[in-house]
Amino acid sequence: MRNFSITNLEQSKRLYYAGLKLSTADYIIQHSISKVGGVVDVEETPIRVERQSDLKKAEDNDSFSAAWSLGKLIYMMPDSIPSAYDEYGNTMPDEFAVFNLVMEQNSVKYVADSERCRLKSNGSCLLDAVVEMVEMLLKEDYVTYSEDEE
C-alpha cells in the first residue's frame, strides 16, 4: 500500500536531481523489486532517519534511497516569495510584489494580493503537488538547501 505522506522512489529521485540535498531527507526507503508470474512488484518500506549516519545507507546501498515527508517538504517551502512577474511573465504593478503560499487539497500556489499567481502546481494528491512545487522553487532559486542547512 502506498504511503501518501512520504515521497516514493520516483519522487525522491526528482527532488534529488532538482538539487535537494540528501542531508535534508527525514526518511530513507528500503525498496525491493520482485517479479512473480510476469508482474513486477516494488515494495517500499519507509524508515525514519534518527541520525545523519542513517543517510549513509541511501548513499552506499542500492536497496535504500533518501525520502522526504510531506511535513518536511512543506516546512522547507518559503511562506512567501518576491517577484516582479506573475506566472505568465506579465509585469506586476508593484516592482517587488510578494506572493504568499496557498495550499489546497491537491494544489500548491504562490498568490499575490491581486490574486495573480507566480508559481502553481497540481497533483493527484497534496504530496504530488508539493514535490512539483519544491522542484520549481529549486529551479527558480527561491529555495536552496546546502549540505549544512536542514
Side-chain angles (χ1 to χ4, degrees):
M1 181 171 186
R2 171 83 172 93
N3 182 335
F4 290 102
S5 64
I6 300 170
T7 57
N8 61 26
L9 184 59
E10 182 265 330
Q11 291 167 326
S12 296
K13 283 182 179 182
R14 285 175 41 200
L15 290 169
Y16 175 73
Y17 291 127
L20 198 56
K21 302 299 181 202
L22 292 179
S23 64
T24 64
D26 55 342
Y27 279 85
I28 55 175
I29 293 179
Q30 182 177 11
H31 44 85
S32 61
I33 300 172
S34 61
K35 188 174 181 180
V36 178
V39 177
V40 175
D41 182 43
V42 177
E43 186 175 322
E44 298 178 342
T45 306
I47 303 166
R48 179 101 171 114
V49 170
E50 300 296 332
R51 299 174 299 281
Q52 281 302 111
S53 61
D54 293 344
L55 288 171
K56 290 297 279 175
K57 290 179 184 174
E59 294 174 10
D60 300 336
N61 189 326
D62 289 341
S63 296
F64 291 89
S65 63
W68 290 265
S69 66
L70 176 60
K72 177 76 178 225
L73 292 173
I74 291 170
Y75 173 78
M76 293 187 330
M77 294 189 316
D79 294 335
S80 61
I81 56 175
S83 181
Y85 303 96
D86 67 10
E87 66 183 318
Y88 303 111
N90 298 321
T91 305
M92 294 295 291
D94 180 6
E95 183 178 332
F96 296 103
V98 175
F99 293 81
N100 296 306
L101 176 63
V102 176
M103 300 179 96
E104 296 172 346
Q105 186 173 355
N106 295 333
S107 68
V108 180
K109 53 190 170 183
Y110 282 90
V111 181
D113 289 338
S114 63
E115 299 299 316
R116 289 167 65 182
C117 281
R118 173 62 182 96
L119 299 172
K120 177 174 37 178
S121 66
N122 297 303
S124 60
C125 65
L126 183 58
L127 181 60
D128 288 339
V130 168
V131 166
E132 183 179 350
M133 180 58 71
V134 171
E135 286 178 301
M136 286 190 269
L137 290 167
L138 287 162
K139 180 181 177 191
E140 300 274 340
D141 290 325
Y142 282 117
V143 63
T144 59
Y145 281 91
S146 65
E147 288 296 338
D148 58 343
E149 290 180 88
E150 291 178 44

